[in-house]
Amino acid sequence: MKLKLFTAPYFLFLIVLFSCVGQNNNVFIPDPDFSVYAFDKTIVIGNIIDSRDGVSAELFPEWLLVFLSEGVRAAEITESYSDKYLFIAKNDGENFTVLNKWAQNMSATHDLSVLVGNRIEERMILNASLYPDDEYGEFFRLFIKDAFSAEYPTAVKEDIYWIKHSQPEVYTFFIKFTVDKNVMQQVLRRMMSQAYAQAYSAAASGGSQAATVNRLRQTFFEGF
């Protein structure tokens, strides 16, 4: 049995984000390719030789099984998270002690914002026909910047889980965070309003970019 893992390496996000800034009139593909943001890896259950709770995948928590097979949004729509957003951080390596320390030191207060920023960026390019800075203008930079530095009330680091593979012989750690859905939406709406005001305060109307941003603000959480 094969399970597919979906996550987003933080350094790739930053590289892509800053490479986009300053590019003008570059046509973005109509159906954005998220492969540059995704760490795509097949996990073979038969190659798992250990985990936090033993070798059998039947012992894995439900959120991890769904995440591995279908991604974080599939795990999020399960009954357990009907009123929450779910974020999962991941790290691989050979040194269990180092990875365990990384996982223990991760906090909802200081580290969740990277996962939120990645998810916001993915949402913004979901229906974009241009590069994000061309599609949304200064709003894009301001909103993403705020997202990466924000704290999210009600955020909780709920669980740490690890598995060990035999091919190659490495450990994979997963950290589960949850945030109250209503609270996060309030925070993000406030950030969008502030970014919009800053981006278009000097212009009479903001033109087509302002109109695009307003449409995004009205439908943002439908794809988030």
Side-chain angles (χ1 to χ4, degrees):
M1 177 181 178
K2 292 186 178 181
L3 298 177
K4 208 164 190 180
L5 171 63
F6 301 87
T7 187
Y10 309 150
F11 71 92
L12 279 180
F13 166 79
L14 295 175
I15 291 172
V16 173
L17 172 59
F18 289 110
S19 68
C20 289
V21 176
Q23 297 184 51
N24 295 311
N25 303 318
N26 292 308
V27 177
F28 200 46
I29 55 176
D31 186 11
D33 179 5
F34 292 118
S35 62
V36 294
Y37 303 97
F39 182 90
D40 191 358
K41 179 180 178 181
T42 299
I43 293 180
V44 180
I45 290 294
N47 289 343
I48 296 177
I49 57 177
D50 200 3
S51 80
R52 188 189 71 182
D53 298 325
V55 176
S56 175
E58 295 179 356
L59 300 174
F60 292 2
E62 180 187 18
W63 64 267
L64 182 59
L65 283 172
V66 178
F67 171 67
L68 291 175
S69 60
E70 301 179 61
V72 67
R73 284 175 175 78
E76 190 176 74
I77 64 175
T78 60
E79 184 177 353
S80 300
Y81 307 103
S82 59
D83 59 347
K84 297 180 184 296
Y85 286 116
L86 176 65
F87 297 88
I88 300 175
K90 173 200 159 291
N91 203 354
D92 297 303
E94 298 179 358
N95 191 315
F96 180 93
T97 301
V98 170
L99 287 170
N100 188 54
K101 186 173 182 179
W102 165 81
Q104 297 297 332
N105 288 339
M106 286 280 283
S107 74
T109 301
H110 298 106
D111 300 299
L112 177 63
S113 59
V114 176
L115 297 173
V116 176
N118 283 339
R119 186 158 170 172
I120 289 172
E121 203 268 355
E122 287 184 0
R123 171 62 186 92
M124 291 183 72
I125 70 174
L126 183 64
N127 302 119
S129 58
L130 304 172
Y131 282 102
D133 54 315
D134 294 326
E135 184 89 1
Y136 305 110
E138 183 69 359
F139 172 86
F140 173 74
R141 184 189 68 81
L142 292 169
F143 186 24
I144 293 294
K145 179 183 176 182
D146 288 346
F148 268 79
S149 60
E151 293 184 8
Y152 298 92
T154 74
V156 178
K157 177 183 175 182
E158 289 194 352
D159 199 5
I160 298 173
Y161 205 89
W162 60 267
I163 60 178
K164 185 179 182 181
H165 316 259
S166 61
Q167 299 177 7
E169 191 165 317
V170 296
Y171 295 93
T172 302
F173 273 68
F174 305 90
I175 306 174
K176 180 181 72 169
F177 298 96
T178 61
V179 187
D180 181 86
K181 189 171 290 186
N182 290 330
V183 172
M184 171 158 276
Q185 288 186 3
Q186 291 174 10
V187 172
L188 297 186
R189 285 194 178 97
R190 183 168 60 249
M191 286 196 295
M192 283 190 281
S193 295
Q194 293 171 347
Y196 184 88
Q198 293 178 55
Y200 303 113
S201 59
S205 64
S208 61
Q209 287 181 341
T212 299
V213 170
N214 272 325
R215 287 194 296 271
L216 174 73
R217 292 170 63 189
Q218 293 170 10
T219 62
F220 183 83
F221 295 104
E222 293 177 10
F224 185 74

